[in-house]
Amino acid sequence: MTKQQEEQSHPLTATITKTNTLLHIQSLLPSFTKSEQKVAHIVLQQTDSVIYSSVIDLAEKAGVGETTVLRFCRKIGFYGYQEFKLALAQELVNPVKNLHGEVGEDDSLDIITHKVTATNQQAIGDTSALFQIEQLERCVDLLQKANTIHFYGVGTSAVTAQDAKYTFLRIGLRVDAFNESHLQAMAAATLGPGDVAIGLSVSGSTKDTIDSLKVAKQAGATCICLTHYRRSPITNVADITLLTAAQEGPLQGGSLAAKIAQLHVLDVISTTITMRNKEKALFYKERTAKAVLERKY
């Protein structure tokens, strides 16, 4: 097999570019072994120094063997350590940073405003970098042809699910959103072939959402998930996985950046459907607008 053929057959190589290597490491973090996670944390926290480190240096910093570092490089789609370091060097031209983590107690309101704004803007840019057009195309095709569309989400993802319901309802799609576990399960059981269930979970480990998708899939529906982690429990259920870049720590549930990333993906999909079905979308936008017109002063 030639190198080109190997690249095409590798599951991750096609998705990693010169500007989103760190994003993919973050996305794959839970799927690494404990030793590989040690390497990942060093790379994410000390990127500036890693590009000048040998494979032996990085292994010593992480407290692992050299073979673990090489296995880590392979797992994220690179053939060797030097190719990986080159990608990191190119990444530093436009580094991925969580500016929320840099907000300090002594920061003025003006500085905090700029840092939080930068984080939210970064969430959109990073999510766009993770887009896989073929997957988005599949989603657009499925949703515009779907008999019924369900959005499942709990916690703050439930807010996104409700927003998605309003957005897609306005362009004439048969859509609903459920945020209570029993309602999710019952609604999922009513779906069938030709229907679509979309689960929203930043962590990809939200049990209620995953269980609802399982019920929907058993009923014959196509399942889509929006998550930050490429290899998380929800992706094992979903037929299509769409990645969002903004992540949440254990004590940071409900971060606005994570919600913005979800909304950005849904906005791209709904806008595409609208542009491809202009007459239908305009017809329903006018009807839905008139339906609530008398409820405004």
Side-chain angles (χ1 to χ4, degrees):
M1 182 181 290
T2 66
K3 182 175 182 180
Q4 184 177 6
Q5 289 173 324
E6 289 179 359
E7 289 176 348
Q8 292 173 347
S9 66
H10 196 286
L12 296 177
T13 301
T15 63
I16 295 180
T17 69
K18 296 177 181 178
T19 58
N20 60 24
T21 305
L22 295 179
L23 290 176
H24 283 284
I25 293 174
Q26 291 173 344
S27 177
L28 290 166
L29 201 56
S31 68
F32 293 140
T33 64
K34 290 183 178 180
S35 295
E36 291 166 351
Q37 286 183 356
K38 291 180 181 179
V39 178
H41 286 307
I42 294 295
V43 172
L44 293 172
Q45 295 167 8
Q46 303 179 30
T47 311
D48 290 349
S49 64
V50 168
I51 63 173
Y52 298 106
S53 302
S54 67
V55 64
I56 297 175
D57 293 334
L58 179 55
E60 289 180 350
K61 288 180 181 179
V64 299
E66 295 173 40
T67 54
T68 299
V69 175
L70 296 175
R71 189 170 63 248
F72 166 81
C73 293
R74 289 283 297 173
K75 186 168 286 190
I76 60 174
F78 295 100
Y79 287 91
Y81 184 64
Q82 294 306 316
E83 184 183 11
F84 166 64
K85 283 208 307 179
L86 177 60
L88 282 186
Q90 293 168 326
E91 181 109 345
L92 290 182
V93 176
N94 183 24
V96 178
K97 292 184 178 179
N98 182 354
L99 294 179
H100 266 310
E102 296 180 1
V103 173
E105 294 180 359
D106 298 327
D107 286 347
S108 66
L109 176 58
D110 182 59
I111 292 175
I112 291 174
T113 298
H114 281 87
K115 287 183 176 180
V116 172
T117 300
T119 298
N120 294 335
Q121 291 174 334
Q122 189 75 51
I124 293 177
D126 289 350
T127 297
S128 296
L130 292 174
F131 280 164
Q132 292 179 280
I133 299 304
E134 289 184 2
Q135 296 288 67
L136 286 173
E137 283 282 6
R138 288 181 63 195
C139 288
V140 169
D141 290 339
L142 285 166
L143 294 179
Q144 63 186 0
K145 296 175 183 176
N147 299 320
T148 301
I149 301 167
H150 283 179
F151 284 93
Y152 305 137
V154 299
T156 55
S157 287
V159 178
T160 306
Q162 194 66 36
D163 187 273
K165 174 182 175 179
Y166 286 123
T167 299
F168 287 96
L169 190 63
R170 285 192 177 102
I171 58 176
L173 300 184
R174 300 292 179 261
V175 59
D176 210 338
F178 303 91
N179 57 25
E180 196 275 326
S181 60
H182 288 192
L183 280 176
Q184 282 185 2
M186 289 188 291
T190 68
L191 298 180
D195 298 326
V196 177
I198 302 177
L200 309 173
S201 173
V202 176
S203 68
S205 301
T206 308
K207 190 176 187 303
D208 288 341
T209 304
I210 295 170
D211 288 346
S212 297
L213 284 186
K214 288 179 179 178
V215 173
K217 191 164 189 175
Q218 289 172 355
T222 300
C223 295
I224 299 171
C225 74
L226 269 71
T227 183
H228 176 67
Y229 294 106
R230 181 183 302 276
R231 292 176 183 166
S232 55
I234 199 169
T235 65
N236 295 326
V237 182
D239 300 294
I240 301 174
T241 295
L242 300 178
L243 295 176
T244 58
Q247 60 185 6
E248 295 177 333
L251 303 180
Q252 197 190 12
S255 75
L256 181 60
K259 194 180 289 84
I260 287 174
Q262 291 177 330
L263 291 171
H264 179 56
V265 175
L266 295 170
D267 192 29
V268 169
I269 293 173
S270 65
T271 301
T272 304
I273 293 175
T274 299
M275 297 309 294
R276 293 183 181 180
N277 302 270
K278 287 184 180 180
E279 292 185 5
K280 177 184 177 182
L282 180 60
F283 174 77
Y284 280 104
K285 280 186 175 183
E286 290 178 348
R287 287 189 65 175
T288 54
K290 289 178 181 178
V292 298
L293 191 60
E294 295 181 358
R295 290 166 174 78
K296 295 181 180 180
Y297 286 105

